[in-house]
Amino acid sequence: MLNKITVVGAGNVGATVAQRLAEQELARTVVMVDVVEGLPQGKALDQWQSGPIEGFDTRVVGANDYGVAAGSELVVVTAGIARKPGMSRDDLARTNAGIVKQLKQHCSQAIVVVVSNPLDVMCWVTKQVTGFPRERVIGMAGVLDTARFRAFLADAVRVSVEDIDAMVLGGHGDTMVPLISHTTVSGIPVAQLLDRATLDQIVQRTRDGGAEIVGHLKTGSAFYAPSAAVVQMVEAIVRDKHRLLPCAAWVEGEYGLSGMYVGVPCKLARGGLEQIVEIELAADERAALRKSAEQVNESMAAVKI
Ligand code: 2OP
């Protein structure tokens, strides 16, 4: 276990991440930082008091400034402000950059897992502002998108979700790339079990996964699956598991792409991103990944920090 993990943001995603981290005892102390007075303190106290029932000794602490977060070995960034009418992308990036600056100052050695949207651009802002190497700035999206894909596939095939092995690459948005060619059900290629029309429907539902939930909640977005996805990545890092998971990583030539964050297969271990693993893709998947990366590039170009 680590000594200290900080979660920036005590909203639904942040607070659920903190609770899951504590339940898995991934750190001695989990710090939740949020600008709203009383919110992180109240939620942290409540979570800490669930320890005797859930059986964890992790201390959860809430704060409104980053002093308590000092020296964290790992930071999960869920905070950020949503774009409001009249706000430009630059306003958005600047405000989010302000959050990240605090991290650079107080947690200079931390591995940062970024969750805030727009995900791929926020990863880039974090890397730029902190100057941290790519090993220490990783984005969460692929694990979530893959979980949605696996859930829908398991439902269609009528098997356990545990039997579905899959990976979704690309940016976290409409252009994400579920890899049908590498999706198996207990080793059986999924195309042998589901017809093309069903697979296409599932791919589309995966792409719309976040929006489908916003459609139900109206004033909020998903947080149970996103927080589970973050904690799977954190666990891989803390326990040095060398897990191969789809994450947003800074590419330097892998898949023929450079200078952007995009979802690719990543090995996660104690140092953070250990390796981007290059695999053979079907021609349409490679083209889709390139298209997705172009879109991330356009979003990055539209932002000045
Ligand atoms: C999601 O996909 C909002 O990015 C979040 O649910």
Side-chain angles (χ1 to χ4, degrees):
M1 98 174 51
L2 298 186
N3 195 40
K4 198 189 285 181
I5 298 180
T6 287
V7 180
V8 182
N12 281 338
V13 177
T16 317
V17 167
Q19 177 77 20
R20 291 187 194 278
L21 292 173
E23 285 176 1
Q24 294 195 31
E25 288 189 323
L26 289 172
R28 278 183 195 87
T29 305
V30 171
V31 180
M32 221 181 332
V33 181
D34 198 292
V35 285
V36 181
E37 228 169 272
L39 184 75
Q41 291 87 348
K43 287 193 180 183
L45 189 58
D46 190 13
Q47 291 180 353
W48 174 54
Q49 290 166 359
S50 72
I53 305 163
E54 295 292 339
F56 65 80
D57 284 306
T58 293
R59 183 71 194 241
V60 191
V61 180
N64 297 119
D65 63 71
Y66 288 81
V68 190
S72 296
E73 295 120 302
L74 195 147
V75 177
V76 177
V77 183
T78 73
I81 47 159
R83 191 170 173 183
K84 299 190 186 94
M87 271 177 86
S88 71
R89 279 175 185 274
D90 290 354
D91 295 331
L92 191 68
R94 261 194 294 273
T95 307
N96 286 318
I99 295 170
V100 176
K101 268 191 198 131
Q102 302 271 347
L103 293 182
K104 184 183 177 182
Q105 194 185 335
H106 295 280
C107 311
S108 62
Q109 298 309 310
I111 295 167
V112 184
V113 179
V114 180
V115 186
S116 315
N117 274 320
L119 192 267
D120 308 278
V121 175
M122 275 309 298
C123 288
W124 169 67
V125 169
T126 304
K127 187 171 181 302
Q128 285 290 108
V129 172
T130 58
F132 290 177
R134 75 170 185 170
E135 287 75 15
R136 293 205 279 124
V137 182
I138 313 156
M140 188 294 291
V143 175
L144 167 63
D145 297 329
T146 303
R148 289 177 174 151
F149 188 48
R150 289 171 63 202
F152 300 146
L153 287 169
D155 195 39
V157 182
R158 297 180 60 79
V159 292
S160 163
V161 289
E162 292 180 59
D163 293 336
I164 309 283
D165 209 355
M167 207 175 252
V168 177
L169 305 186
H172 182 51
D174 300 339
T175 58
M176 68 178 73
V177 189
L179 298 183
I180 304 268
S181 69
H182 289 284
T183 302
T184 61
V185 182
S186 284
I188 304 160
V190 73
Q192 291 188 22
L193 299 168
L194 293 174
D195 59 48
R196 190 71 221 186
T198 308
L199 283 170
D200 287 347
Q201 261 172 16
I202 289 174
V203 165
Q204 195 52 46
R205 193 171 176 201
T206 303
R207 291 202 172 113
D208 297 337
E212 185 178 353
I213 290 168
V214 171
H216 287 295
L217 296 177
K218 310 245 173 359
T219 56
S221 54
F223 56 99
Y224 292 113
S227 59
V230 176
V231 174
Q232 185 172 68
M233 289 171 64
V234 173
E235 196 213 357
I237 294 168
V238 172
R239 302 206 202 281
D240 196 27
K241 286 177 80 97
H242 304 267
R243 287 208 64 177
L244 183 55
L245 298 169
C247 308
W250 180 257
V251 279
E252 291 171 344
E254 293 88 356
Y255 293 94
L257 305 168
S258 281
M260 71 188 68
Y261 269 88
V262 66
V264 282
C266 293
K267 247 193 232 172
L268 299 187
R270 188 58 197 87
L273 172 68
E274 189 179 54
Q275 187 194 353
I276 295 176
V277 177
E278 288 196 79
I279 52 165
E280 195 72 31
L281 300 180
D284 60 330
E285 291 165 350
R286 185 166 277 273
L289 183 62
R290 180 162 291 277
K291 194 173 145 219
S292 188
E294 275 164 18
Q295 205 184 54
V296 175
N297 236 338
E298 277 168 29
S299 311
M300 273 168 42
V303 166
K304 283 181 203 64
I305 47 170

